[in-house]
Amino acid sequence: GAVVSQHPSRVICKSGTSVKIECRSLDFQATTMFWYRQFPKQSLMLMATSNEGSKATYEQGVEKDKFLINHASLTLSTLTVTSAHPEDSSFYICSARELLRDRNYGYTFGSGTRLTVV
Amino acid sequence: RKEVEQDPGPFNVPEGATVAFNCTYSNSASQSFFWYRQDCRKEPKLLMSVYSSGNEDGRFTAQLNRASQYISLLIRDSKLSDSATYLCVVNLNNDMRFGAGTRLTVKP
């Protein structure tokens, strides 16, 4: 089945620094990938839709200059949290759908990145 | 009104029990529907797609009622390993929206 690799799985960084999270589709091509954030005991919230070769589409309330998304190839999307603050501490998850799959197949998720900003 | 609503639970049931989760969605144009399972501190994993005709996968049965904009998941003969959070997911034009999840704990 489709596999999405996400790393790092955990990261601790100091306030003010930037953190890059990578999401790779290992055995399929994904023109679109999605980035979610999940705070403890809350639902996944879509942050942005990453489109290969074009600008990402951000959800309302998500700062595009703070959460930089790059989708340079059909198998790789990156999310960079810039100038991280403690309130950015969260579980970040990417997902992708195989290009040729129909809409009833669902999406495959990466294993998530737990970010802690100290 | 939230786009996807679920009873957060928690549901605490004994092994072998039958348990049902419900979910409602607000956008009648939604195209496809799923149940995902999420274990603590892990990523969600697809449990099953949900079709209007209803579908079953072993002990799991999913139903969709488009007229009422309602989705359900039934788990029969629950196992300890079924303990997890179950997420109702609704897709519209490649935009997946998640419910907050229903927490299930199956006890010996």
Side-chain angles (χ1 to χ4, degrees):
Chain A
V3 176
V4 174
S5 173
Q6 181 176 347
H7 65 91
S9 59
R10 296 176 186 269
V11 59
I12 301 173
C13 70
K14 292 183 178 180
S15 287
T17 61
S18 296
V19 174
K20 179 185 282 188
I21 303 170
E22 289 191 353
C23 181
R24 291 179 185 274
S25 56
L26 294 187
D27 50 359
F28 67 99
Q29 294 182 328
T31 54
T32 304
M33 292 186 180
F34 304 88
W35 287 96
Y36 296 84
R37 180 167 54 184
Q38 186 177 34
F39 292 106
K41 297 187 179 182
Q42 294 188 25
S43 180
L44 276 75
M45 296 300 297
L46 180 65
M47 298 175 66
T49 301
S50 169
N51 302 297
E52 186 268 336
S54 65
K55 291 182 179 180
T57 304
Y58 290 82
E59 294 298 298
Q60 189 172 9
V62 178
E63 301 175 56
K64 62 180 181 181
D65 294 329
K66 179 172 181 63
F67 298 100
L68 302 179
I69 290 174
N70 186 285
H71 195 154
S73 76
L74 285 171
T75 59
L76 173 65
S77 176
T78 61
L79 168 68
T80 302
V81 183
T82 63
S83 187
H85 290 107
E87 56 265 32
D88 297 324
S89 299
S90 186
F91 191 48
Y92 292 85
I93 311 178
C94 66
S95 75
R97 189 181 74 180
E98 191 170 353
L99 188 61
L100 300 179
R101 295 281 187 177
D102 65 39
R103 66 185 185 198
N104 284 321
Y105 186 76
Y107 290 70
T108 302
F109 285 84
S111 54
T113 298
R114 191 160 301 281
L115 171 64
T116 303
V117 184
V118 298
Chain B
R1 181 185 173 187
K2 291 182 180 177
E3 293 181 23
V4 182
E5 291 201 66
Q6 291 181 252
D7 180 347
F11 285 63
N12 299 308
V13 303
E15 270 188 293
T18 295
V19 61
F21 305 137
N22 302 320
C23 171
T24 57
Y25 59 96
S26 61
N27 193 329
S28 60
S30 297
Q31 297 162 319
S32 51
F33 311 88
F34 310 91
W35 283 102
Y36 277 74
R37 169 191 171 132
Q38 185 175 26
D39 292 291
C40 189
R41 294 175 171 265
K42 298 286 187 180
E43 77 277 17
K45 294 189 177 178
L46 180 64
L47 181 64
M48 57 198 306
S49 301
V50 188
Y51 303 111
S52 297
S53 55
N55 47 303
E56 186 174 308
D57 182 2
R59 298 181 293 109
F60 299 84
T61 301
Q63 295 276 355
L64 166 66
N65 185 320
R66 283 188 180 271
S68 301
Q69 295 177 207
Y70 168 94
I71 305 159
S72 66
L73 176 68
L74 181 76
I75 305 175
R76 291 182 299 277
D77 187 24
S78 51
K79 311 291 184 190
L80 296 177
S81 57
D82 294 334
S83 297
T85 297
Y86 291 82
L87 304 173
C88 173
V89 183
V90 174
N91 180 30
L92 173 62
N93 295 328
N94 287 335
D95 185 357
M96 301 274 277
R97 297 291 169 167
F98 288 78
T102 300
R103 175 73 191 151
L104 170 67
T105 300
V106 181
K107 298 185 175 180

